[in-house]
Structure formats: C-alpha cells, structure tokens
Amino acid sequence: MKIKFISLASGSSGNCYYLGTPTYGILIDAGIGIRTIRKHLKEANVSLDMIRGIFVTHDHADHIKAVGTLGEKYHIPVYTTPLMHDGINRSYCMTEKIYSCVRYLEKEQPYQLEDFRITSFDVPHDGTDNVGYSIEIDGKVFSFLTDLGEITPTAASYIHKAHYLILEANYDREMLRMGRYPAYLKQRISSPSGHMCNADTADFLAENIQEHLRYIWLCHLSKDNNHPELAYKTVEWQLRAKGVLVGKDVQLIALKRNSPTGPYEFE
C-alpha cells in the first residue's frame, strides 16, 4: 500500500500533518487556517472528503485553529481524549465549538480506523492534556511527538517502534538564552513540560536510534529561537558521532514552519 505523508505547516504559528493512502487519510492537528489546509491538500491531490478524522495532540491554538470548522461544517470526526476535548471547547481560538464531531480516545488503547491502527500516548507538555500518536498502517509505524518538554520512558517506547518519526526540535539553547523572550517564557519553554531543544533531541536520537528507523522529520521549530539548518546540523553531528550517517542509514529533514514539506510517498 502506498502511504503519503505531508507536513502542511510545523511551527509555533501553526501545525498540521496529513497521513494517507491513495483514497483516504487523516490529519494530525489542524492549527492553520481552513483555506490554507484546503489549498495545500488540493495541491497534493487530496480533498477534504478524503479526510476520515483529525487527531489532536493538545489544545494550544497553533494545533486546533481549524478544528471547529473542519469538525462541524465539514463533518470530519475529531479524535482525542475527553479531557482535551473539554480544553478545546474552552480555548479562546475556538469560535466554532465542536459537538457532533467529538470522538473520544483513551491513552494507550489502540483505535482502528479503516487501515490505520492509532494509539495515543501521554507526553509532558502544558496543554490541558497532551498526547503523541503512534500510527501503524500496512506494517509501517509513524510516530508523532510534536510538543513535549522531555522524552519520558513512555514517549521513548513509541519512538523506538517507529519506522518514520516526527519529533520536536523546537529551540537552540543559546538562542533562547540570549533572545528577547521574557524570563518567565524562557523558563516555560525550557521546562520539562515545555519544548525539546535541538541538543536534547539530538542526544536522544544518537543514543536510541533503531535500525528500522528510516526517516526523521524535525518538527515545531521556533521562529525566534532556532534555524532549520541549525536543528538539522545539531542532530546530524550527534548521529555521525555514533556512526550513523544521514542520507545513508537514515533520512533527516527539518520541516518548514509556514509552508508544506513533502509529499513523501512510501510503499
């Protein structure tokens, strides 16, 4: 089965990912405008009526901006935990509240959606509730960990299963330290319930990379405290130090913040 992956946007301004077969697919988060989602999907020959569901990682605005419209106006089911559904409808950005489209998930209880076997799992972040997703389809495992302050044993177990990994590399430590953000925001970002820095992501990958891991996409890069080249090089250097060659042993991509990356197709 041919599988298509597209990052429509990945960063603090908005996040949305598509994973699909030739006939249908799902979105992971919908934190950009509905017209932008439709435009980028159309460019990839994907229509909204092909979307079987939206799987939400947490209730921050940059992950849920279009969820209400997609759910209530386009009748696309919205899947996440009960606690997170409450947080979504309380969010200031949700001018269109969700009711009829609500679907509940329980963490670490697999959910079968046609050919997709989808498991949500806990990650440490400061949303109302927070999950990553491990998605198995046709023997391929995609793991999405877009916002987390540290890699817990639970998160690590799902990273280890992945053939295709979407993992946060949000900021560079020195850029954050020297940057213009107020102290409280710097503390929030660097806390265990904040975001992953390039170095911590690189260290974890270098120490834990599995032979079956084929692709790593670095996601949710900060506009103010990171650069795609810096995130990429930080991870590449650490992998090389462990004898893992990017481009030969594994593919590494830093996702674009405000425009699509991909599509990537796998058989």
Side-chain angles (χ1 to χ4, degrees):
M1 183 184 296
K2 186 175 287 186
I3 308 300
K4 180 183 289 186
F5 168 68
I6 312 167
S7 170
L8 305 183
S10 181
S12 51
S13 300
N15 300 269
C16 186
Y17 308 95
Y18 172 81
L19 188 64
T21 74
T23 56
Y24 72 95
I26 62 173
L27 296 179
I28 295 86
D29 290 333
I32 56 179
I34 180 65
R35 282 186 285 186
T36 302
I37 291 174
R38 291 181 64 180
K39 175 179 179 290
H40 292 333
L41 289 178
K42 184 178 180 181
E43 290 168 350
N45 297 314
V46 176
S47 62
L48 282 184
D49 60 12
M50 293 170 61
I51 305 299
R52 299 292 192 266
I54 307 160
F55 289 78
V56 180
T57 62
H58 63 292
D59 60 349
H60 288 165
D62 58 321
H63 295 259
I64 63 170
K65 179 179 179 180
V67 163
T69 302
L70 289 168
E72 295 301 320
K73 292 189 176 179
Y74 291 91
H75 310 293
I76 300 173
V78 178
Y79 294 87
T80 195
T81 66
L83 186 59
M84 205 186 309
H85 269 301
D86 290 342
I88 289 171
N89 272 342
R90 290 196 307 269
S91 174
Y92 71 90
C93 74
M94 290 291 291
T95 54
E96 181 87 32
K97 305 300 183 185
I98 56 174
Y99 301 102
S100 63
C101 63
V102 168
R103 305 290 187 275
Y104 294 122
L105 298 176
E106 184 177 346
K107 291 177 185 177
E108 299 199 68
Q109 295 297 312
Y111 180 83
Q112 195 74 34
L113 180 63
E114 300 188 36
D115 295 292
F116 289 77
R117 183 175 173 86
I118 302 164
T119 305
S120 61
F121 55 90
D122 190 66
V123 295
H125 193 53
D126 55 4
T128 302
D129 198 9
N130 314 276
V131 299
Y133 287 103
S134 179
I135 302 170
E136 182 177 352
I137 179 167
D138 195 35
K140 306 170 185 70
V141 177
F142 289 77
S143 292
F144 290 81
L145 299 95
T146 69
D147 291 55
L148 69 167
E150 61 180 354
I151 296 176
T152 61
T154 296
S157 71
Y158 287 96
I159 294 174
H160 291 156
K161 296 176 183 180
H163 301 104
Y164 303 94
L165 175 63
I166 298 88
L167 180 61
E168 179 174 66
N170 177 255
Y171 68 96
D172 173 76
R173 281 200 192 111
E174 192 64 14
M175 287 183 69
L176 179 65
R177 187 180 73 84
M178 297 297 292
R180 59 180 177 80
Y181 284 10
Y184 80 88
L185 185 53
K186 292 180 180 181
Q187 184 175 5
R188 178 207 163 232
I189 290 168
S190 60
S191 77
S193 60
H195 292 280
M196 289 285 292
C197 72
N198 296 341
D200 287 346
T201 296
D203 289 345
F204 178 87
L205 289 170
E207 294 295 333
N208 292 274
I209 194 163
Q210 306 293 303
E211 287 188 6
H212 56 256
L213 182 61
R214 300 172 189 171
Y215 270 76
I216 303 165
W217 291 277
L218 303 176
C219 70
H220 208 278
L221 274 65
S222 169
K223 178 180 70 172
D224 298 313
N225 302 304
N226 211 349
H227 295 298
E229 299 83 0
L230 180 56
Y232 179 96
K233 284 296 184 184
T234 303
V235 174
E236 182 192 29
W237 289 335
Q238 285 297 91
L239 290 174
R240 188 189 306 159
K242 290 292 183 178
V244 178
L245 298 181
V246 168
K248 178 183 177 184
D249 302 316
V250 68
Q251 303 301 315
L252 177 67
I253 298 102
L255 294 175
K256 298 175 184 176
R257 298 185 70 258
N258 299 312
S259 59
T261 311
Y264 300 89
E265 293 189 343
F266 307 101
E267 298 206 42

